[in-house]
Amino acid sequence: MIRVDTEQIERFADFLRGQEDVRPFDFVLPDLLPPVGAEGVVDYFFFTVAHQFGFWTLADGCYEKPMIAPCDGRPLKGSDFIWRCATRAWERNPHFFAPGHLQQMSDKDWVAVFSDDNGVNPLPMWEANARIIRESTAWWMTNGSTPGDLLRQVSSGTNRLHALLAEAGRIPGYREDPLRKKLMLLALALVNRPEHFLEVDDPSAFGPVIDYHLMRSALRTGLVEVDDPALRSRLAGRRALEPAEEDRIRRTVFQAIEQLHDVSGVSHAAIDWFFFQNRTRCPEMSPPDCPACPVQSICARHTGLFQPVFRTEAY
């Protein structure tokens, strides 16, 4: 059995309501992301967010390690590696990620775009990345549209966030996940960047952004409890899960974060950024730094648990 712990939801809701610094991320990171006000940034985000998945390796049926590779002279972990490689391409050409330019690129070109300082493309699911690039480019060209066109279309009416999720949710790379992790992350970027590419009139359309770090946090803090001893053992052992097991965990975490949002009144964007920042104190490969954790007094400290080990393009 996997369940939401409603009492723990209340404790975390009380905590989050009392924190003035719990706020959304503005998607501004010097060196990793393009600067504010730059050209081609909408195209950049539509492309790059679709590749925020799969940054870890599997060995003997168990989680081995996160993907870390040298890029521009420094080791970068998966998500940061993707951001930096894409920004490096954008720096050469601000319109690099426009659909018309993407159509001119070959698979060999894309391997080079996402290669590290040693000339190696380290992305563990590269075949999936390459397929998404091909299919999404073909989608834009077939529809005779661009990300800018799509944003103008959804911004011309009401319920703009709902419209964005519906329209962008048809694009390969975004349309496959029923819980819409990457799609919701894209929406957060477009809404919360200082340029405010999308002005939202229906914030209730936002939902949780459920990926590895949030599932690990929910399991370790006790927001979600796993009462099935066999499943709990597989999580602690970092063993690969069956699709139905991953689905049960992910959907329960989704429900927990929805409840946390409803009870606390804190936005999904702020909740996501709080837990994303806190992942550095409760990481994958080293013991948690509980004394430094802002929720250490209310955390269940199930620190032996791990996120579902499951290969997916969704997160």
Side-chain angles (χ1 to χ4, degrees):
M1 180 180 176
I2 305 168
R3 58 185 171 84
V4 177
D5 187 327
T6 55
E7 292 184 358
Q8 194 70 331
I9 294 291
E10 293 282 355
R11 295 186 190 100
F12 270 74
D14 287 344
F15 169 82
L16 291 172
R17 277 195 299 265
Q19 304 301 305
E20 293 183 0
D21 60 345
V22 175
R23 57 176 63 91
F25 176 46
D26 62 4
F27 289 84
V28 177
L29 288 171
D31 296 328
L32 286 182
L33 298 173
V36 176
E39 294 182 76
V41 175
V42 169
D43 293 336
Y44 168 95
F45 275 112
F46 268 81
F47 177 93
T48 309
V49 173
H51 296 276
Q52 294 289 335
F53 66 88
F55 304 128
W56 54 279
T57 56
L58 188 71
D60 299 323
C62 294
Y63 183 98
E64 181 184 31
K65 60 184 177 181
M67 189 216 94
I68 300 174
C71 186
D72 297 337
R74 53 180 171 157
L76 293 180
K77 199 172 175 181
S79 178
D80 286 348
F81 181 85
I82 285 283
W83 290 124
R84 179 55 204 156
C85 286
T87 298
R88 187 173 59 188
W90 173 88
E91 288 169 346
R92 295 196 296 270
N93 175 5
H95 303 290
F96 190 93
F97 296 104
H101 184 264
L102 301 183
Q103 190 182 38
Q104 303 172 27
M105 302 281 287
S106 68
D107 285 359
K108 184 178 179 180
D109 293 331
W110 284 114
V111 169
V113 168
F114 291 104
S115 291
D116 65 17
D117 289 349
N118 299 315
V120 175
N121 183 317
L123 297 178
M125 296 179 66
W126 175 246
E127 289 185 6
N129 294 101
R131 176 178 49 75
I132 288 173
I133 293 171
R134 291 191 297 268
E135 291 182 358
S136 61
T137 300
W139 187 92
W140 287 113
M141 300 308 295
T142 298
N143 285 276
S145 183
T146 68
D149 293 336
L150 190 153
L151 267 186
R152 283 187 287 274
Q153 174 189 337
V154 303
S155 297
S156 64
T158 58
N159 297 318
R160 292 187 284 271
L161 178 55
H162 179 83
L164 172 73
L165 298 175
E167 292 301 313
R170 300 188 295 121
I171 304 170
Y174 291 104
R175 66 189 181 192
E176 299 83 1
D177 177 14
L179 298 189
R180 308 192 296 187
K181 176 262 174 176
K182 291 186 292 183
L183 186 57
M184 205 60 68
L185 184 63
L186 174 65
L188 291 179
L190 297 174
V191 170
N192 289 298
R193 273 277 290 199
E195 297 97 330
H196 300 299
F197 296 114
L198 181 69
E199 296 287 349
V200 169
D201 61 338
D202 54 343
S204 63
F206 274 116
V209 185
I210 306 300
D211 61 5
Y212 291 117
H213 84 270
L214 197 43
M215 286 190 281
R216 186 172 70 251
S217 293
L219 291 168
R220 288 183 172 181
T221 59
L223 292 171
V224 168
E225 289 287 351
V226 178
D227 297 323
D228 179 340
L231 179 56
R232 194 177 181 89
S233 176
R234 286 195 291 279
L235 286 167
R238 304 187 175 199
R239 294 195 288 275
L241 299 188
E242 295 297 323
E245 295 174 319
E246 181 271 350
D247 186 67
R248 284 162 54 203
I249 293 170
R250 191 169 181 232
R251 288 182 183 277
T252 306
V253 174
F254 188 98
Q255 294 167 10
I257 301 304
E258 280 196 318
Q259 290 182 31
L260 182 57
H261 161 72
D262 292 343
V263 174
S264 68
V266 176
S267 71
H268 281 296
I271 290 172
D272 183 72
W273 185 233
F274 170 78
F275 281 109
F276 190 78
Q277 289 178 294
N278 208 43
R279 82 198 191 285
T280 60
R281 291 176 282 265
C282 202
E284 299 106 311
M285 303 304 290
S286 56
D289 185 6
C290 293
C293 177
V295 293
Q296 56 87 21
S297 64
I298 57 174
C299 179
R301 300 203 185 188
H302 299 321
T303 54
L305 294 180
F306 201 60
Q307 68 257 22
V309 177
F310 183 75
R311 276 282 179 233
T312 175
E313 299 168 24
Y315 55 85

